[in-house]
């Protein structure tokens, strides 16, 4: 009986081994990860500094009344162009005209008295002291007449700069107090944007560099300008220096618009680049996944300039290498991949990219 039990047990063990490895059955390898790739290629890239700033007019003036009076004639409206020296408002000048006439008469009287006194002094008929007193009185009268004429000129309010009337705060018939702002003029012939740039960029940003501007109010449009001037000192409190960019005015650009500014300070005409999305977003050194055959390899890279959606690669990959741009999060060294790119595979690539963005 014991022999029968032993044979039965041996037979059962052979059956279990059969179930684990059936004849003709092959081991199934790991599933290939779908990825999308792009080739490292050559193109022109530019090194640039970007920032944001509002546009400001090159000159601006608050026009104030230098004397009091009733506005008899307001000659300009908001939005109209004016030239420096043009009369904007005429104020009631009757009182100033009378004072100017009065001082002119007093001046002429003293001029006549001094002429006679001068002749008498030459004939020794008038003391030098009296002659000097008449001369001083005449000089005082002339100064009073000049002051009266200056006050009379204030009745015509003139534009101190050329530009556009941005605001007007009086109407014909209003009484205007002295030193009251009545117009605001802005010179829109040139617009400026001031950037506060970190001091590490002091050696790269210079006057004359080209500038590109985009404003939120005019989507899809780009405006060209130049770096007009660079502050020669760094602010010790903020660690920044001022860079003033200049743009042509007189068109659709207006003061107050908020703009995104890009200053190109260097260019390379034949740089080796990869799409920026190919760079691995982790805490390690810059790297990309390169596809060799059907497997991936993590390759450290040395980066150069970043230009929009492109990243310059100085070391690590060579021209023509296929780098992974979608599907990176599921990859490791040696991962088997399936390169997608056919029209029917677009939906799968989009699904992978969407999953990556959520992660």
């Amino acid at each position: 009986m014991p022999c029968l039990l032993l044979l039965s047990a041996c037979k059962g063990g052979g059956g279990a081994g059969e179930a684990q490895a059936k004849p003709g059955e092959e081991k199934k390898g790991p599933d290939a990860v779908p990825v999308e790739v792009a080739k490292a290629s050559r193109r022109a890239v530019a090194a640039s500094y970007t920032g944001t700033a509002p546009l400001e007019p090159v000159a601006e003036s608050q026009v104030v009344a230098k004397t009091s009076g009733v506005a008899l004639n307001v000659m300009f409206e908001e939005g109209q162009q004016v030239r420096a020296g043009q009369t904007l408002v005429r104020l009631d000048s009757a009182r100033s005209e009378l004072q100017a006439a009065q001082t002119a008469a007093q001046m002429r009287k003293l001029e006549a008295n001094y002429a006679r006194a001068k002749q008498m002094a030459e004939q020794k008929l008038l003391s030098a002291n009296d002659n000097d007193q008449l001369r001083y009185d005449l000089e005082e009268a002339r100064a009073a007449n000049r002051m009266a004429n200056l006050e009379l000129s204030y009745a015509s309010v003139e534009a101190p700069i050329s530009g556009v009337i941005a605001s007007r705060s009086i109407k014909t018939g209003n009484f205007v107090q002295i030193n009251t702002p009545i117009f605001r003029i802005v010179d829109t012939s040139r617009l400026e944007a001031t950037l506060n740039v970190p001091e590490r960029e002091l050696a790269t940003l210079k006057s004359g560099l080209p500038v590109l501007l985009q404003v939120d109010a005019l989507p899809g449009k780009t405006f060209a300008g130049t770096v007009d001037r660079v502050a020669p000192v760094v602010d010790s409190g903020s660690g920044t220096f001022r860079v003033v960019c200049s743009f042509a005015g007189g068109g659709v650009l207006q003061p107050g618009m908020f703009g995104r500014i890009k200053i190109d300070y260097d260019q390379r005409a034949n740089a080796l680049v990869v799409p920026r999305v190919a760079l691995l977003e982790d805490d390690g050194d810059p790297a990309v996944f390169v596809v060799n055959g059907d497997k991936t390899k993590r390759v450290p890279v040395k980066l150069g300039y970043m230009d929009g959606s492109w990243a310059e690669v100085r070391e690590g990959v060579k021209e023509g290498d296929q780098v992974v741009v979608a599907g990176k999060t599921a990859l490791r060294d040696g991962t088997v991949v399936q390169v997608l790119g056919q029209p029917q595979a677009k939906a799968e690539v989009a699904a992978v990219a969407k999953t990556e963005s959520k992660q």
Side-chain angles (χ1 to χ4, degrees):
M1 177 68 77
C3 293
L4 291 172
L5 290 173
L6 181 60
L7 291 170
S8 176
C10 291
K11 186 178 180 183
E18 263 182 33
Q20 290 175 2
K22 293 182 180 179
E25 191 178 73
E26 295 181 0
K27 253 185 192 179
K28 188 177 179 183
D31 291 337
V33 177
V35 296
E36 190 173 43
V37 300
K39 288 185 178 181
S41 58
R42 294 194 175 273
R43 59 169 287 149
V45 294
S48 60
Y49 177 83
T50 58
T52 57
L55 292 175
E56 300 174 349
V58 66
E60 181 175 347
S61 175
Q62 287 281 2
V63 183
V64 299
K66 296 181 180 180
T67 188
S68 301
V70 176
L72 301 179
N73 190 6
V74 180
M75 302 180 179
F76 287 91
E77 302 285 345
E78 291 178 349
Q80 290 184 312
Q81 290 276 350
V82 296
R83 297 187 308 275
Q86 274 191 300
T87 300
L88 305 175
V89 181
R90 293 194 187 280
L91 302 178
D92 180 14
S93 60
R95 183 183 294 273
S96 298
E97 288 174 357
L98 289 175
Q99 185 143 10
Q102 184 180 17
T103 56
Q106 181 68 14
M107 181 183 67
R108 288 192 295 271
K109 174 183 174 182
L110 289 174
E111 284 176 344
N113 289 343
Y114 179 66
R116 287 192 295 271
K118 191 175 181 181
Q119 291 179 353
M120 294 175 65
E122 290 174 353
Q123 297 172 5
K124 307 296 184 181
L125 299 176
L126 186 69
S127 67
N129 185 53
D130 290 341
N131 186 56
D132 288 343
Q133 184 62 50
L134 285 171
R135 179 164 57 85
Y136 297 146
D137 290 345
L138 175 58
E139 291 177 356
E140 184 179 1
R142 285 172 174 169
N145 180 249
R146 288 195 296 270
M147 179 66 74
N149 286 325
L150 180 63
E151 188 72 20
L152 177 61
S153 70
Y154 290 160
S156 295
V157 181
E158 297 179 348
I161 63 172
S162 299
V164 179
I165 302 293
S167 63
R168 189 193 74 173
S169 56
I170 63 166
K171 297 179 180 178
T172 300
N174 289 164
F175 181 80
V176 180
Q177 292 281 2
I178 188 172
N179 294 329
T180 301
I182 54 179
F183 283 95
R184 176 169 164 258
I185 301 174
V186 293
D187 182 0
T188 58
S189 61
R190 197 173 84 228
L191 299 174
E192 295 181 341
T194 302
L195 296 172
N196 292 312
V197 181
E199 58 183 307
R200 64 177 178 271
E201 305 288 349
L202 187 59
T204 59
L205 300 184
K206 304 294 181 184
S207 298
L209 289 174
V211 180
L212 295 179
L213 168 71
Q214 292 182 325
V215 293
D216 295 335
L218 303 167
K221 293 186 177 181
T222 302
F223 303 89
T226 58
V227 175
D228 186 68
R229 56 193 183 275
V230 176
V233 295
V234 176
D235 182 82
S236 59
S238 62
T240 61
F241 64 99
R242 296 172 70 250
V243 175
V244 181
C245 303
S246 177
F247 304 91
V252 293
L253 289 177
Q254 297 296 329
M257 288 183 173
F258 197 79
R260 293 181 297 279
I261 296 168
K262 178 183 176 186
I263 305 173
D264 292 337
Y265 57 81
D266 192 15
Q267 290 188 341
R268 292 195 178 113
N270 192 33
L272 181 63
V273 298
V274 297
R276 204 163 180 171
V277 293
L279 300 178
L280 300 182
E281 298 174 356
D282 53 28
D283 296 331
D285 294 331
V288 296
F289 276 117
V290 176
V291 176
N292 290 319
D294 62 348
K295 293 185 179 181
T296 59
K297 182 180 180 182
R298 181 188 174 103
V299 178
V301 294
K302 181 180 178 182
L303 298 178
Y305 294 152
M306 297 290 184
D307 187 0
S309 60
W310 298 99
E312 182 190 13
V313 179
R314 306 290 286 175
E315 294 179 7
V317 300
K318 59 182 181 296
E319 187 175 358
D321 282 352
Q322 295 188 105
V323 295
V324 177
V325 294
K328 305 188 300 290
T329 56
L331 301 182
R332 300 292 183 271
D333 267 341
T335 301
V336 178
V337 295
Q338 177 190 358
V339 176
L340 302 177
Q342 299 300 322
Q344 62 269 24
K346 293 299 183 184
E348 189 172 354
V349 173
V352 172
K354 185 176 181 182
T355 303
E356 283 188 358
S357 65
K358 289 182 179 179
Q359 292 175 353

